[in-house]
């Protein structure tokens, strides 16, 4: 492989890994949204916060390591943050 | 740059970034060790645990992304874990 090809592979792999991790959190949010009316697990919020922190550290690292662009990283995190905000709002309304 | 040179640069940068982050946690541990006899901040343990979690997620990501070897990543984390264990033992003894 040539130099540009190798960096392409590394960049794509990094982005794919981050998106996979983001999808897992996305799933956690969806599950909690579905369970909103039936049951509420008090640890869920803490688990989600911890997962979000972990992902944001990975994204930050990937950005600093030059594997992904700053904007791509921010998009991954802020998309999840918006979903989380919707969840927390729904939880609040349910009280 | 040639392909091997580019991957070398990326690998070295990734390792350096992780070692820098590890050094920051190392410093936090040292400060707490020095303050052991004078004052005890109850939030310190939680901050250290959070930082350790963040670093372990970064190391895990860097390993999966093929930026560092599994062994190199494990060494960074386990060295800090040993230092943390020493700190927690000293805190326990102090009561």
């Amino acid at each position: 492989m040539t130099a540009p090809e190798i960096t392409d592979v590394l960049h794509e792999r990094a982005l794919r890994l981050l998106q996979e991790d983001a999808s897992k959190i996305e799933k956690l949010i969806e599950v909690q949204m579905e369970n909103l009316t039936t049951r509420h697990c008090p640890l869920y919020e803490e688990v989600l916060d911890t997962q979000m922190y972990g992902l944001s550290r990975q994204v930050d690292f990937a950005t600093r390591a030059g594997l992904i662009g700053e904007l791509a990283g921010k998009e991954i995190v802020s998309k999840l943050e918006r979903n989380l905000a919707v969840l927390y709002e729904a939880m609040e309304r349910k009280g």
Side-chain angles (χ1 to χ4, degrees), chain A:
Chain A
M1 282 200 283
T2 66
E5 279 168 355
I6 289 223
T7 51
D8 274 0
V9 167
L10 284 170
H11 291 200
E12 277 162 28
R13 191 196 290 156
L15 201 58
R16 197 187 62 236
L17 286 170
L18 292 174
Q19 278 162 345
E20 281 171 9
D21 287 350
S23 292
K24 283 181 203 155
I25 300 179
E26 187 71 52
K27 277 268 179 305
L28 288 175
I29 295 175
E30 279 169 22
V31 169
Q32 183 67 351
M33 275 300 249
E34 285 162 16
N35 290 337
L36 212 57
T37 49
T38 51
R39 60 212 150 118
H40 173 60
C41 171
L43 281 178
Y44 226 94
E45 203 164 331
E46 193 155 337
V47 171
L48 279 172
D49 283 349
T50 306
Q51 294 287 322
M52 278 299 287
Y53 172 73
L55 182 70
S56 72
R57 287 298 295 264
Q58 289 180 194
V59 166
D60 178 65
F61 171 75
T63 310
R64 287 184 293 151
L67 286 177
I68 62 168
E70 211 167 309
L71 197 66
K74 276 193 181 139
E75 267 170 21
I76 291 174
V77 173
S78 63
K79 185 177 167 242
L80 277 177
E81 278 172 348
R82 281 194 299 275
N83 291 344
L84 258 186
V86 171
L87 170 65
Y88 288 156
E89 212 178 290
M91 285 165 85
E92 197 118 319
R93 267 203 307 277
K94 225 221 126 208

